Amino acid sequence: FAKKFTVTVPETVTEALEGFPLLVRLSAANVECFEYGDIQQDGADIVAADTAGNFLPCELQKYDPNGESLLWVRVPSMAAGTEITIYYGNPKPLIEIPSAKDTWSDYAGVWHLDETTAGTTALRDSTANATDGTAHAKSLVAEGILGGARGRTDATGTNGAMATMPKNAALDALTPEFTVSGWVMPTTTSISWAYVFSRKSSDSYKSWGWQFRAESSLGSIGIYASGTSDSDSQRNVFSQSTIKQNVWTKYTVAYTSTKVSLYLDGKLVATQDIKPGAAVNGDLDFTLGGLNGSGHGTLKGYHDEVRLRRGAVSADWAAAEYAQEVGIFGTYGAAEPVDASAPVFLTPIATVSAQGEVTVTISVVEGSGSVYVDVDGEKTKIGDIDTEGAFPQEFVTHSGTP
């Protein structure tokens, strides 16, 4: 790699966030000394690593050599002061790096909604679950919070959802604890009973599933959790919670087995009890901007960056997610050259045989010099890197004691 820069998580993160997808905004305006001319392969050479040099899963959502590019990095455990490094400028094909889909390994679905074709279009799911959605024939594209957005402006309240994501095993595995998040921007105040998202089959709060809708106006939000019997079903109405016309609002709805919490723009606005196990899936598709299957409750407006995550997120998570999606999150170091002679190697692999012999395998992908292994303070040279040879080069050492 030719260049690198660091990203340091801000002090506002007060707890460890496990598996957090950190957004890195690449541009000359955001990173001192950064130049797109240093990047190879239209951004395919951009990678992220932790302080130990382990590659981290990352997805390049948007590559714009004339502006800002968006890179999502899954950080195994993120807290205040956590540092990662972004590397780029490698003309060689990258090998043995995590799949971009691993960035979203904790999610049932992630839809950036940045497809550029209006109408009936496949909406790509960035996870490995392949929950690609289908946009309504009259859906439109627009500029969103993070790249493109998708919505409806022709809606009459009874002509179908903006998009439908098909049911699958990943969706069914969400309950009893899960989180639905995204951005929504209604284009009218006349949206009584309009649905932001739904996995229910009817307006009745007794029908199985869960949903999020405007009750009688933008000033009243209803969150449903409908169980396997009428006695388990309920509707929680948060009248103090508002979503504004022609303004993007970030929503995060976190379900546990006994509570539902609503965050708007990263702030907790309401938490209410629900009956244990009330939020069941109901074996239905997941819809945006309308009620599932009935054609009712169509929302006039736009959606962006919609996610279904396993587990209920915390207040710290919701605040951090909102903060990074509206601006720079943390501190970016200046871009600087990478020492071309320094060896770059993948995470060493150690195995122990039945006889107790330890084998350590190191794969070097570039650089020069010698390879050493340090065990309990005793450093042993195991080989020299052949700078004229092909990469990767593998070095193996054995130890008689575990």
Side-chain angles (χ1 to χ4, degrees), residues 21-33:
L22 178 64
L23 177 59
V24 180
R25 298 172 178 267
L26 300 143
S27 74
N30 298 338
V31 183
E32 184 181 351
C33 300

Side-chain angles (χ1 to χ4, degrees), residues 69-369:
S69 299
L70 303 177
L71 179 73
W72 297 98
V73 181
R74 186 184 187 277
V75 183
S77 182
M78 190 185 84
T82 296
E83 181 180 287
I84 66 169
T85 301
I86 307 301
Y87 293 91
Y88 55 96
N90 185 354
K92 302 176 183 178
L94 299 179
I95 59 170
E96 297 187 47
I97 61 172
S99 166
K101 294 184 181 299
D102 291 342
T103 311
W104 310 105
S105 57
D106 301 311
Y107 291 78
V110 173
W111 299 273
H112 299 308
L113 301 178
D114 50 10
E115 288 79 9
T116 57
T117 303
T120 305
T121 305
L123 303 176
R124 185 179 64 89
D125 171 23
S126 289
T127 76
N129 301 311
T131 316
D132 293 348
T134 301
H136 190 278
K138 294 186 177 181
S139 67
L140 304 174
V141 297
E143 185 67 24
I145 289 292
L146 297 168
R150 174 79 53 162
R152 297 278 302 277
T153 59
D154 67 301
T156 64
T158 59
N159 55 0
M162 188 283 292
T164 300
M165 286 63 174
K167 62 183 179 181
N168 59 15
L171 290 183
D172 288 340
L174 281 173
T175 54
E177 300 199 356
F178 63 98
T179 302
V180 189
S181 64
W183 288 85
V184 64
M185 182 178 68
T187 55
T188 177
T189 57
S190 302
I191 62 167
S192 296
W193 323 119
Y195 294 80
V196 178
F197 63 76
S198 175
R199 207 178 184 206
K200 278 171 57 68
S201 60
S202 78
D203 289 323
S204 170
Y205 73 89
K206 294 181 180 180
S207 67
W208 293 14
W210 35 265
Q211 64 190 25
F212 176 30
R213 78 178 189 184
E215 290 294 295
S216 57
S217 69
L218 288 177
S220 179
I221 291 172
I223 295 178
Y224 291 61
S226 301
T228 56
S229 68
D230 290 351
S231 62
D232 292 334
S233 305
Q234 64 189 97
R235 176 182 67 182
N236 295 299
V237 178
F238 302 139
S239 59
Q240 73 274 34
S241 309
T242 58
I243 294 177
K244 299 177 181 179
Q245 179 185 9
N246 295 325
V247 175
W248 282 107
T249 299
K250 169 80 172 185
Y251 62 85
T252 303
V253 182
Y255 289 91
T256 71
S257 59
T258 58
K259 292 183 181 294
V260 59
S261 299
L262 172 65
Y263 302 86
L264 294 179
D265 290 342
K267 297 179 180 179
L268 178 65
V269 296
T271 296
Q272 290 189 15
D273 293 336
I274 59 175
K275 296 174 182 178
V280 302
N281 278 307
D283 193 31
L284 297 171
D285 297 336
F286 173 64
T287 55
L288 293 177
L291 185 63
N292 196 310
S294 72
H296 293 294
T298 308
L299 173 72
K300 282 188 178 182
Y302 291 89
H303 306 257
D304 194 10
E305 198 60 32
V306 177
R307 304 176 185 175
L308 297 176
R309 188 180 191 276
R310 292 182 290 276
V313 304
S314 65
D316 219 28
W317 181 292
E321 193 170 71
Y322 170 75
Q324 70 173 0
E325 292 177 6
V326 295
I328 298 295
F329 186 68
T331 304
Y332 293 1
E336 60 182 359
V338 175
D339 182 356
S341 65
V344 177
F345 56 88
L346 304 178
T347 303
I349 299 174
T351 58
V352 182
S353 70
Q355 293 73 36
E357 183 179 67
V358 178
T359 300
V360 180
T361 303
I362 301 101
S363 293
V364 177
V365 296
E366 64 179 67
S368 61

Side-chain angles (χ1 to χ4, degrees), residues 20-79:
F20 189 86
L22 178 64
L23 177 59
V24 180
R25 298 172 178 267
L26 300 143
S27 74
N30 298 338
V31 183
E32 184 181 351
C33 300
F34 176 86
E35 296 180 2
Y36 275 107
D38 293 323
I39 296 178
Q40 308 290 325
Q41 307 168 25
D42 293 331
D45 63 329
I46 302 172
V47 300
D50 61 16
T51 53
N54 301 310
F55 287 133
L56 301 175
C58 56
E59 181 199 12
L60 186 62
Q61 174 192 340
K62 175 186 175 183
Y63 183 70
D64 181 2
N66 298 311
E68 183 179 75
S69 299
L70 303 177
L71 179 73
W72 297 98
V73 181
R74 186 184 187 277
V75 183
S77 182
M78 190 185 84

Side-chain angles (χ1 to χ4, degrees), residues 380-400:
T380 302
K381 180 179 176 180
I382 60 172
D384 296 314
I385 298 172
D386 180 6
T387 57
E388 301 298 324
F391 288 94
Q393 296 176 21
E394 192 170 89
F395 298 84
V396 181
T397 184
H398 302 279
S399 171

